[in-house]
Every structure is written in structure tokens, then in C-alpha cells.
Amino acid sequence: MSYIVDRRLNGKNKSTVNRQRFLQRYRSHIKKAVSEAVSNRSITDLESGESVSIPKRDIGEPTFRHGSGGKRTIVHPGNKEFVSGDRIARPPQGSGGGAGGGEASNSGEGMDEFVFQITQEEFLEFLFDDLELPNLVKRQLAGLESFKLVRAGVVSEGTPNKINIIRSLRQATGRRIALTAASRRRLKAYENEYEALLDTDEILRDKQRVLLLEKEINMAKRFFILLYLFLQRNYEKIEVVFIRHHTSAKEVDEQEFFYSRETGGTIVSSALKMTDKIIKDRFSPQEWNIYVAQASDGDNWNDDSPICRKILTQHILPVVQYYAYVEINPRRHQALWREYESIQQEYGDYFAMQQISDPTEIYPVFRELFQRKSNRSSAA
């Protein structure tokens, strides 16, 4: 066997170069493992690394060997059965004592696999490969910034003549209330437990519905976490607004948006009205690229769906770059979906809608909504 030694000079980070070549070579295996991880992980663990398995048959390296060369006729010493010129019959199929071809055995062992770990950064790189925000345009000149002086609020130290007496009294009252918070929480928990015991029959009757709602909410959170990680990693100057809604909408922080478990009746137009108000108050279309992503189970008051269409077509869609609607619903579509279908026909590439019925569909749908298109101009 011949050995080829590469004696070319290389930097101290040559292992990094080799790793990048390795990741590029087995790109399809890694992307498959990343896609499966998104569906199987908890929503709090989507941005860590991942173990990737590659079948041993796919990692073979080319080798150079010295062949026998020419025509050779050999009768080995000690042969008692054959003479020169005899033809040896092929053994029956399936017999013989070879090393085997990697088939699975009845002991549960199969073909060996090569397992390696990709980092968090590499995981996110494969997760968001070839994705971008659609219709992104340059709104301001690069580096153009303006500043203005504003009051910084209040401080906890300074001269007594500047003390804010009303604020100090309010904070003192708040501290006293906070000291009794633990007792009030326990009392509230006991009251909830008592009410649950009284309504045991109702809880058992609606248990299946509750589990279904929790599953759909969980899938919506997975989708939004993917979107949030994508924005944070790929774009520097962004501002994300979180809106939760049931019968009424409210703007919440990241913690409440992803981890709150509230459920209830749905009036979708309440969220759209708040979205329209926030855009008008804080995000001028002349200065911002505005994107909206909505996830819903499709359940909405019948009279509210036409209102949603009106708000979207008259107020929101004329000022946004892209609107993505995802319906988390394994059942048949309802009135909201039908209203949105008519909007999609009118706005084309600026309005997209997809359905998710199973956790395994979250990542493919996400890629479909934000896939980079060859005929789209590069992002500014």
C-alpha cells in the first residue's frame, strides 16, 4: 500500500479547514439530522448543538494499492485436489465464511455508524441555510444615525429636596404588598384546586380537548422560536414585537409570549388592530422593513373573519414587506382560512399561508415560507 503525505505549510487552524470540508461533504446527512432535531427537541433547547450519525459505508476514503499485475498461474504447495488447468466451481450462494455485508443480525446489531458532534453555531448555520426575509429593501443610508438627549428617569440617591414623595410612597406600598405575595399565591392555588374538585366531571369530559389545545399551542411556539432565532442570527438591526390574543390582544415580552399557557376564545381582529396601531405609532414604512407572522388554530368568531380581511387589505398589507400566516390545525379549514385565501390571490408573493398538522411539518413549512429564491434580488 502507498502512503501520500501532504507536507504543504498550513496555519495553526488547519483543523478548522478540514472540519469545514468534512461538513460540506456530508451536508445532506447533517441537514437531515438538524431537521429531525427541530421536531424532537423541547422548545427551550432548539439552539444547542447536535449529534450526527453517518453510515460507515458513506465515509470510505480512496486508497492506492499495488495490484498483482500481469497473468499469474499458481499452484500452492500442499494442494491435493487440483492440478494446473482445473476450473474451480463457485460456492453456493449464501454459504462461505466471509466477513459479511453489514446486514442486521438477530442480536440487534447492525452496520456501524460514525457519530460526531456539531456546535451550536454550526447547528444554526445548517438550520437557516438558504433562508432570508422576502422583499427586503434598503430603507436608510448605511451609518446614518441621529441622537437626542432625553431624561434618564429617576435615581435612588441624591439631595433630599429633589425627592419624589408620591413615587416613594407608591414604592413602599408595593414592597408591603410583595411581602404578602407568597401567602396570596398559596390561597389562590387552594381555591383553584377546590374549584377543580367541584368540576371533576367537566374536566374529564374536556380533557381530550385540553390536550389538543396544548399540543397546538406548543407547535405554534416552536414555529415562532425558529423565526426568532433566524432573525437574531441573520440580521443585526431588528426590533421584534410580540402580540398574544384571545378575546382581546396585548403586547407582551419574550418570556410571556413563549412560556405563558393561557387559552380561551379567539377574536383574531383584536391582534390585527393592535398590529396596525403599533405600526402607525412606532414603525414608519419609510424607515422600516415591516414583517408580520401570525400563527393560529383557525378558530375565530364567524362575524370576525371578514373584519380581519378588511384590516389586512386596507391597513396592514399596504405597508408591510411580507405577511406569513400559519394555521396549526389537523382538521378542516374554517372561515378565517377561506378569507385569507382570497387575500393570497390578490397579494401574491407578499402574502403566504401554510398549514401545520404535525410537529414534523414545522421546519419544512418554515423553510417554505422563508426560502431564498433565485430570482429575488439580494438583501440590503
Side-chain angles (χ1 to χ4, degrees), residues 3 36 38 73 87 105 132 165 193 197 203 217 240 284 300 304 321 347-348 377:
Y3 294 92
E36 293 174 351
V38 173
T73 303
R87 300 179 67 86
S105 66
E132 68 177 6
I165 298 177
E193 184 178 359
L197 290 174
I203 291 175
I217 292 172
V240 182
S284 170
N300 191 29
D304 189 60
Q321 303 303 115
Y347 282 86
S377 59

Side-chain angles (χ1 to χ4, degrees), residues 352-369:
M353 52 192 299
Q354 293 284 341
Q355 181 183 14
I356 296 176
S357 57
D358 187 83
T360 58
E361 299 175 359
I362 297 174
Y363 184 56
V365 165
F366 178 80
R367 292 196 65 87
E368 179 67 23
L369 290 172

Side-chain angles (χ1 to χ4, degrees), residues 15 38 46 113 116 173 176 192 217 233 236 272 287 348:
S15 60
V38 173
L46 283 181
E113 291 188 341
F116 69 99
T173 302
R176 286 194 293 270
N192 292 339
I217 292 172
R233 186 182 187 279
E236 291 184 4
L272 299 182
E287 299 177 358

Side-chain angles (χ1 to χ4, degrees), residues 106-125:
N106 57 8
S107 63
E109 298 180 354
M111 181 176 293
D112 294 336
E113 291 188 341
F114 173 70
V115 181
F116 69 99
Q117 185 78 15
I118 61 175
T119 65
Q120 172 186 349
E121 181 65 22
E122 291 166 345
F123 178 84
L124 294 177
E125 180 181 350

Side-chain angles (χ1 to χ4, degrees), residues 313-328:
T313 56
Q314 296 185 6
H315 299 281
I316 297 179
L317 290 177
V319 298
V320 302
Q321 303 303 115
Y322 187 66
Y323 193 105
Y325 172 68
V326 177
E327 187 164 293
I328 316 291

Side-chain angles (χ1 to χ4, degrees), residues 21 37 43 47 53 66 77 126 139 155 160 177 182 213 229 273 278 290 296 299 308 315 318 323 339 348 355 372 379:
R21 291 174 180 169
I43 62 175
E47 54 179 326
S53 299
H66 291 292
F126 282 98
R139 292 298 192 192
V155 295
I177 295 175
L213 287 174
L229 291 175
K273 290 176 182 177
I278 290 174
I290 304 172
S296 169
D299 187 20
C308 295
H315 299 281
Y323 193 105
E339 291 287 348
Q355 181 183 14
R372 179 181 295 130

